[in-house]
Amino acid sequence: MGKIIQYLDSIISGERKGVLPSILKGEMLELSFFALASTRLRRWMYSYGLINSERLPCKVISVGNVVVGGSGKTPAVITITKLLRHTDLKIAIASRGYKSRSKGIAIVFDDKSILLDPDKAGDEPYLLAHNLTGIPVIIGKDRYKSGLIAIDKWGTDVLVLDDGFQYLKLKRDVDIITMDSTKPFGLDHLLPRGYLRESLSTLKKADAIILTKVDQCDNLDYIYERLDKISPKVPIFESIHAPSSLIQMDTSENVRYDKFKGCNILAVSGIANPKSFAKTLNFLNPSRLEIMAFPDHHNYSQKDIKNIEQSAIKTKADIIIITEKDAPKLAKIKAVPVLTLAIELKLLGSADADLLRLIGEKCDLTYV
């Protein structure tokens, strides 16, 4: 399945040329028109009350996107939750739990301890629980029911939805969109011809847009120009993915960055944007950087582990650096020292205070 996804991705991106890719592009374009019509009809039916949308007796903040893949939703949820936790508000997080092996609604973190392993929790919910000690994390397709459980168990004042922009079943007080500035507009087509989940025009329905990885973007002016035409009234905040710590896998200890500057590095990741992860590693000034990329949410087999170790030996890597998301799945690597790079979404300038103020105004909260 991974190879099929990579093949289709190479066609969508235009990397693969030839007669067959051209034919498939045409077929994909037709399918994307159906997807566009379907998503517009769905939003129209919700907006006119033909499908009911439920409201929780607490404030709801959604963090989502319109482009598939790693736009920085989960790091944004972590950053926004950390901003909110400095208040007296009781916060919980609800996630769909993509690729979770749990059925129904399950609690990943109950405000005291992590209750599910990464397989049962899903990659992102486990990462949220790991980074937000004391904040309950619930997974399940029905975020309304998840919210009711959070209110009943922990007296939740604010429910933060991870990946909630398309979850129209639940009314939100704030809709925040994250947009990867290195690939912002999804090739202007919906899946499967492009990377959009729905039309870019829906950005007008957002309350704020967070541009991520702006330090890796070379066309920021163009992004602002397009957003000014698409969603001129929506405030925009800039952010970067900044390294926050480097953790030695076998000891779980934080290590100094300068200890590994100038090393030969093998960067291994199963995320949506492996090139961005590799660019982030430039702060270590590696003498050599090799990339070994797997599909997003990849479940590493023993064969994968062996291939990673062989690649590290072949490229004479001093260390292997992996993402936090992949860390629980790659603990068995032994041939070369493994380090986990933890990153944080860092809002630039006064964006943290401005975003917190916006949330306070939209939710009618008095903490700002």
Side-chain angles (χ1 to χ4, degrees), residues 165-343:
F165 191 58
Q166 285 78 34
Y167 191 70
L168 305 180
K169 182 180 178 181
L170 181 60
K171 293 183 183 294
R172 287 83 64 138
D173 297 280
V174 185
D175 260 315
I176 299 170
I177 291 292
T178 57
M179 179 175 283
D180 183 346
S181 60
T182 67
K183 47 176 188 177
F185 301 114
L187 298 182
D188 291 301
H189 289 294
L190 269 69
L191 287 168
R193 176 59 187 86
Y195 298 104
L196 290 175
R197 300 170 75 166
E198 56 183 330
S199 170
L200 288 169
S201 64
T202 56
L203 290 172
K204 290 183 288 190
K205 299 181 181 298
D207 295 295
I209 295 171
I210 299 177
L211 291 179
T212 64
K213 307 171 191 170
V214 296
D215 56 326
Q216 298 181 19
C217 175
D218 56 8
N219 60 349
L220 204 55
D221 289 341
Y222 168 73
I223 294 173
Y224 272 95
E225 287 172 8
R226 286 209 62 185
L227 289 178
D228 186 54
K229 293 177 181 177
I230 298 167
S231 50
K233 296 181 180 180
V234 180
I236 300 170
F237 302 94
E238 295 183 7
S239 70
I240 62 172
H241 277 20
S244 60
S245 61
L246 202 54
I247 304 160
Q248 190 118 11
M249 177 77 83
D250 56 355
T251 63
S252 298
E253 294 179 353
N254 285 0
V255 295
R256 292 168 57 95
Y257 296 152
D258 56 9
K259 183 179 178 181
F260 297 101
K261 286 199 172 181
C263 284
N264 290 338
I265 297 173
L266 175 63
V268 179
S269 63
I271 57 176
N273 194 343
K275 290 181 180 178
S276 176
F277 173 59
K279 285 183 179 179
T280 304
L281 294 175
N282 285 334
F283 80 100
L284 291 173
N285 296 317
S287 58
R288 183 176 179 182
L289 177 61
E290 297 288 338
I291 301 171
M292 198 167 182
F294 293 84
D296 196 14
H297 296 282
H298 186 65
N299 289 318
Y300 296 90
S301 65
Q302 191 56 47
K303 182 179 179 181
D304 291 328
I305 301 294
K306 186 177 180 181
N307 287 339
I308 292 168
E309 290 182 327
Q310 288 177 344
S311 181
I313 294 169
K314 183 179 178 180
T315 59
K316 299 181 180 179
D318 300 307
I319 54 173
I320 295 171
I321 298 186
I322 62 176
T323 71
E324 274 191 292
K325 184 173 168 179
D326 292 304
K329 306 174 187 178
L330 294 175
K332 294 181 180 179
I333 297 176
K334 302 297 181 185
V336 176
V338 180
L339 301 168
T340 300
L341 177 66
I343 62 100

Side-chain angles (χ1 to χ4, degrees), residues 10 30 62 69 71 87 96 104 107 146 152 160 162 245 249 253 267 272 311 316 325 332:
S10 69
E30 289 186 19
S62 165
S71 65
T87 70
R96 174 184 151 198
I107 297 171
S146 293
D152 180 62
V160 181
D162 181 23
S245 61
M249 177 77 83
E253 294 179 353
S311 181
K316 299 181 180 179
K325 184 173 168 179
K332 294 181 180 179

